[in-house]
Amino acid sequence: MRGFVTSYGPSNVKKLIWDREFAGGKWNFIDNTAGDCVYPYLEKYANQGSILDLGCGPGNTANELSESKYRTYLGVDISAEALAKAKQRTEQTGRAEKNRFTTGDFLSYEPDEPFDVILFRESMYHVPLGKIKPVLSHYSQYLKDGGVFIVRMYLAMNGKNKFRPTKMVQIIEKNFDVLEKGRHGGPGDATVIVFRPQGRRA
Ligand SMILES: C[S@@+](CC[C@H](N)C(=O)[O-])C[C@H]1O[C@@H](n2cnc3c(N)ncnc32)[C@H](O)[C@@H]1O
């Protein structure tokens, strides 16, 4: 039920669920994710440029990513609770000049500038399957020339493939040009996929 509502529910209900979970400490375990497999990809493709992080959570990516590898970072999240943590952490790490955060539902969010990297880190699960292609097409307009999408997801649980994430990767592989796909193992099969709209120049 929760999984259905966090993908298909109205924005105000999704916000309530996520705010309650962040306030209750359910997601405290993602506060520290230093050394995650996504960082080398982000650092490579950000190329000292700009990052849009959709479903950014409590500021782990914005503050664990090597500071010298990007110029600006914008985190979007539906949860004001998560963003309060993200902003506080950014003050503590002295990155307020680089990191900005805004509340929004990534199914309808309209950026006001293009980015070098658009990231869905552990957040694409909350895009309905039928919207994966339209949502990525929408954000394609906000990729700079040479820009890429980076998606990090767990494709399995206890060694068994999960249907929706596996299907999401298939949709990406069919409709976009994949530059890299890294499988980082473990029972969850942590996977990072880097891609751009078909036919876009490098
Ligand atoms: C599992 S957490 C991942 C957080 C962070 N990206 C990470 O990898 O540690 C998923 C995040 O996506 C956010 N989220 C879920 N649905 C969303 C939506 N429709 N729009 C914006 N953010 C959303 C949640 O509030 C939560 O912060």
Side-chain angles (χ1 to χ4, degrees), residues 79-105:
S79 166
E81 287 285 340
L83 293 185
K85 259 187 161 178
K87 287 174 193 163
Q88 191 186 28
R89 187 162 173 187
T90 291
E91 290 297 328
Q92 285 163 356
T93 58
R95 297 198 193 190
E97 294 285 307
K98 289 190 164 200
N99 298 348
R100 291 177 298 135
F101 300 92
T102 187
T103 42
D105 185 333

CSV table of all heavy atoms in Angstrom, one decimal, residues 79-105:
chain,number,residue,atom,x,y,z
A,79,SER,N,9.9,16.1,0.6
A,79,SER,CA,9.8,16.2,2.0
A,79,SER,C,10.5,17.4,2.6
A,79,SER,O,11.8,17.5,2.5
A,79,SER,CB,10.4,14.9,2.6
A,79,SER,OG,10.6,15.1,4.0
A,80,ALA,N,9.8,18.3,3.2
A,80,ALA,CA,10.4,19.4,3.9
A,80,ALA,C,11.2,19.0,5.1
A,80,ALA,O,12.2,19.6,5.4
A,80,ALA,CB,9.3,20.4,4.3
A,81,GLU,N,10.9,17.9,5.7
A,81,GLU,CA,11.7,17.4,6.8
A,81,GLU,C,13.0,17.0,6.3
A,81,GLU,O,14.1,17.3,7.0
A,81,GLU,CB,11.0,16.1,7.4
A,81,GLU,CG,9.7,16.4,8.2
A,81,GLU,CD,10.0,17.0,9.6
A,81,GLU,OE1,11.1,16.8,10.1
A,81,GLU,OE2,9.1,17.6,10.2
A,82,ALA,N,13.1,16.2,5.2
A,82,ALA,CA,14.4,15.8,4.7
A,82,ALA,C,15.2,17.0,4.3
A,82,ALA,O,16.4,17.1,4.6
A,82,ALA,CB,14.2,14.9,3.4
A,83,LEU,N,14.6,18.0,3.7
A,83,LEU,CA,15.3,19.2,3.3
A,83,LEU,C,15.8,20.1,4.4
A,83,LEU,O,16.9,20.7,4.3
A,83,LEU,CB,14.5,20.1,2.3
A,83,LEU,CG,14.2,19.4,1.0
A,83,LEU,CD1,13.5,20.3,0.0
A,83,LEU,CD2,15.5,18.9,0.3
A,84,ALA,N,15.1,20.1,5.6
A,84,ALA,CA,15.6,20.8,6.7
A,84,ALA,C,16.9,20.2,7.2
A,84,ALA,O,17.8,20.9,7.5
A,84,ALA,CB,14.5,20.7,7.9
A,85,LYS,N,17.0,18.9,7.2
A,85,LYS,CA,18.2,18.2,7.5
A,85,LYS,C,19.3,18.5,6.5
A,85,LYS,O,20.5,18.8,6.9
A,85,LYS,CB,18.0,16.7,7.5
A,85,LYS,CG,17.8,16.0,8.8
A,85,LYS,CD,17.8,14.5,8.6
A,85,LYS,CE,18.1,13.8,9.9
A,85,LYS,NZ,18.0,12.3,9.8
A,86,ALA,N,18.9,18.5,5.2
A,86,ALA,CA,19.9,18.8,4.2
A,86,ALA,C,20.5,20.2,4.3
A,86,ALA,O,21.7,20.4,4.1
A,86,ALA,CB,19.3,18.6,2.8
A,87,LYS,N,19.7,21.1,4.6
A,87,LYS,CA,20.1,22.5,4.7
A,87,LYS,C,21.0,22.7,5.9
A,87,LYS,O,22.1,23.4,5.9
A,87,LYS,CB,18.9,23.5,4.8
A,87,LYS,CG,18.2,23.6,3.5
A,87,LYS,CD,17.0,24.5,3.6
A,87,LYS,CE,16.1,24.4,2.4
A,87,LYS,NZ,14.7,24.8,2.5
A,88,GLN,N,20.6,22.0,7.0
A,88,GLN,CA,21.4,22.1,8.3
A,88,GLN,C,22.8,21.5,8.0
A,88,GLN,O,23.8,22.1,8.4
A,88,GLN,CB,20.7,21.4,9.4
A,88,GLN,CG,21.3,21.7,10.7
A,88,GLN,CD,20.7,20.8,11.8
A,88,GLN,OE1,20.2,19.7,11.6
A,88,GLN,NE2,20.7,21.3,13.0
A,89,ARG,N,22.8,20.4,7.4
A,89,ARG,CA,24.1,19.7,7.1
A,89,ARG,C,25.0,20.6,6.2
A,89,ARG,O,26.2,20.6,6.4
A,89,ARG,CB,23.8,18.3,6.5
A,89,ARG,CG,25.1,17.5,6.4
A,89,ARG,CD,24.7,16.1,6.2
A,89,ARG,NE,25.9,15.3,5.9
A,89,ARG,CZ,25.8,14.0,5.5
A,89,ARG,NH1,24.6,13.4,5.5
A,89,ARG,NH2,26.9,13.3,5.3
A,90,THR,N,24.4,21.2,5.2
A,90,THR,CA,25.1,22.1,4.3
A,90,THR,C,25.7,23.3,5.0
A,90,THR,O,26.9,23.6,4.7
A,90,THR,CB,24.2,22.5,3.2
A,90,THR,OG1,23.8,21.4,2.4
A,90,THR,CG2,24.8,23.6,2.3
A,91,GLU,N,25.0,23.8,6.0
A,91,GLU,CA,25.6,24.9,6.8
A,91,GLU,C,26.8,24.4,7.6
A,91,GLU,O,27.9,25.0,7.6
A,91,GLU,CB,24.6,25.4,7.8
A,91,GLU,CG,23.4,26.2,7.2
A,91,GLU,CD,23.9,27.5,6.5
A,91,GLU,OE1,24.9,28.1,6.9
A,91,GLU,OE2,23.2,27.9,5.5
A,92,GLN,N,26.7,23.2,8.1
A,92,GLN,CA,27.7,22.6,8.9
A,92,GLN,C,29.0,22.3,8.1
A,92,GLN,O,30.1,22.5,8.6
A,92,GLN,CB,27.3,21.3,9.6
A,92,GLN,CG,26.4,21.6,10.8
A,92,GLN,CD,25.6,20.3,11.2
A,92,GLN,OE1,25.7,19.3,10.5
A,92,GLN,NE2,24.8,20.4,12.2
A,93,THR,N,28.8,21.9,6.9
A,93,THR,CA,30.0,21.6,6.0
A,93,THR,C,30.5,22.8,5.3
A,93,THR,O,31.5,22.7,4.5
A,93,THR,CB,29.6,20.5,5.0
A,93,THR,OG1,28.5,20.9,4.2
A,93,THR,CG2,29.3,19.1,5.7
A,94,GLY,N,29.8,23.9,5.4
A,94,GLY,CA,30.3,25.1,4.8
A,94,GLY,C,30.1,25.1,3.3
A,94,GLY,O,30.8,25.8,2.5
A,95,ARG,N,29.1,24.4,2.8
A,95,ARG,CA,28.8,24.4,1.3
A,95,ARG,C,27.6,25.2,0.9
A,95,ARG,O,27.1,25.0,-0.2
A,95,ARG,CB,28.6,22.9,0.9
A,95,ARG,CG,29.8,22.0,1.1
A,95,ARG,CD,29.7,20.7,0.3
A,95,ARG,NE,30.7,19.7,0.7
A,95,ARG,CZ,30.9,18.6,0.0
A,95,ARG,NH1,30.2,18.4,-1.1
A,95,ARG,NH2,31.8,17.8,0.4
A,96,ALA,N,27.2,26.1,1.7
A,96,ALA,CA,26.0,26.9,1.4
A,96,ALA,C,26.1,27.7,0.1
A,96,ALA,O,25.2,28.0,-0.6
A,96,ALA,CB,25.6,27.8,2.6
A,97,GLU,N,27.4,28.0,-0.3
A,97,GLU,CA,27.6,28.7,-1.6
A,97,GLU,C,27.3,27.8,-2.8
A,97,GLU,O,26.9,28.3,-3.8
A,97,GLU,CB,29.0,29.2,-1.7
A,97,GLU,CG,29.4,30.2,-0.7
A,97,GLU,CD,28.9,31.6,-1.0
A,97,GLU,OE1,29.1,32.0,-2.1
A,97,GLU,OE2,28.2,32.2,-0.1
A,98,LYS,N,27.4,26.5,-2.6
A,98,LYS,CA,27.3,25.6,-3.7
A,98,LYS,C,26.0,24.9,-3.7
A,98,LYS,O,25.4,24.6,-4.8
A,98,LYS,CB,28.4,24.5,-3.7
A,98,LYS,CG,29.8,25.0,-4.0
A,98,LYS,CD,30.7,23.8,-4.1
A,98,LYS,CE,32.0,24.2,-4.8
A,98,LYS,NZ,32.7,23.1,-5.4
A,99,ASN,N,25.5,24.5,-2.5
A,99,ASN,CA,24.3,23.6,-2.4
A,99,ASN,C,23.0,24.4,-2.2
A,99,ASN,O,23.0,25.2,-1.2
A,99,ASN,CB,24.5,22.6,-1.3
A,99,ASN,CG,25.6,21.7,-1.4
A,99,ASN,OD1,26.2,21.6,-2.5
A,99,ASN,ND2,26.0,21.0,-0.4
A,100,ARG,N,22.0,24.2,-3.0
A,100,ARG,CA,20.7,24.8,-2.8
A,100,ARG,C,19.7,23.6,-2.8
A,100,ARG,O,19.9,22.6,-3.4
A,100,ARG,CB,20.3,25.7,-4.0
A,100,ARG,CG,21.1,27.0,-4.0
A,100,ARG,CD,20.7,27.8,-5.2
A,100,ARG,NE,21.0,27.1,-6.5
A,100,ARG,CZ,20.1,27.0,-7.5
A,100,ARG,NH1,18.9,27.6,-7.4
A,100,ARG,NH2,20.4,26.4,-8.6
A,101,PHE,N,18.6,23.9,-2.1
A,101,PHE,CA,17.5,22.8,-2.0
A,101,PHE,C,16.2,23.5,-2.2
A,101,PHE,O,15.9,24.6,-1.8
A,101,PHE,CB,17.6,22.2,-0.6
A,101,PHE,CG,18.9,21.5,-0.3
A,101,PHE,CD1,19.9,22.2,0.3
A,101,PHE,CD2,19.1,20.2,-0.7
A,101,PHE,CE1,21.2,21.6,0.6
A,101,PHE,CE2,20.3,19.6,-0.5
A,101,PHE,CZ,21.4,20.3,0.2
A,102,THR,N,15.3,22.7,-2.8
A,102,THR,CA,13.9,23.2,-3.0
A,102,THR,C,12.9,22.0,-2.9
A,102,THR,O,13.2,20.9,-3.2
A,102,THR,CB,13.7,24.0,-4.3
A,102,THR,OG1,12.5,24.6,-4.4
A,102,THR,CG2,13.9,23.0,-5.5
A,103,THR,N,11.7,22.4,-2.3
A,103,THR,CA,10.7,21.3,-2.2
A,103,THR,C,9.9,21.2,-3.6
A,103,THR,O,9.7,22.2,-4.2
A,103,THR,CB,9.6,21.6,-1.1
A,103,THR,OG1,9.3,22.9,-1.2
A,103,THR,CG2,10.1,21.2,0.2
A,104,GLY,N,9.6,20.0,-3.9
A,104,GLY,CA,8.8,19.8,-5.2
A,104,GLY,C,8.6,18.3,-5.4
A,104,GLY,O,9.3,17.5,-4.8
A,105,ASP,N,7.6,18.0,-6.2
A,105,ASP,CA,7.3,16.7,-6.7
A,105,ASP,C,8.1,16.5,-8.0
A,105,ASP,O,7.8,17.2,-9.0
A,105,ASP,CB,5.8,16.5,-6.8
A,105,ASP,CG,5.5,15.0,-7.2
A,105,ASP,OD1,6.3,14.3,-7.8
A,105,ASP,OD2,4.3,14.6,-6.8
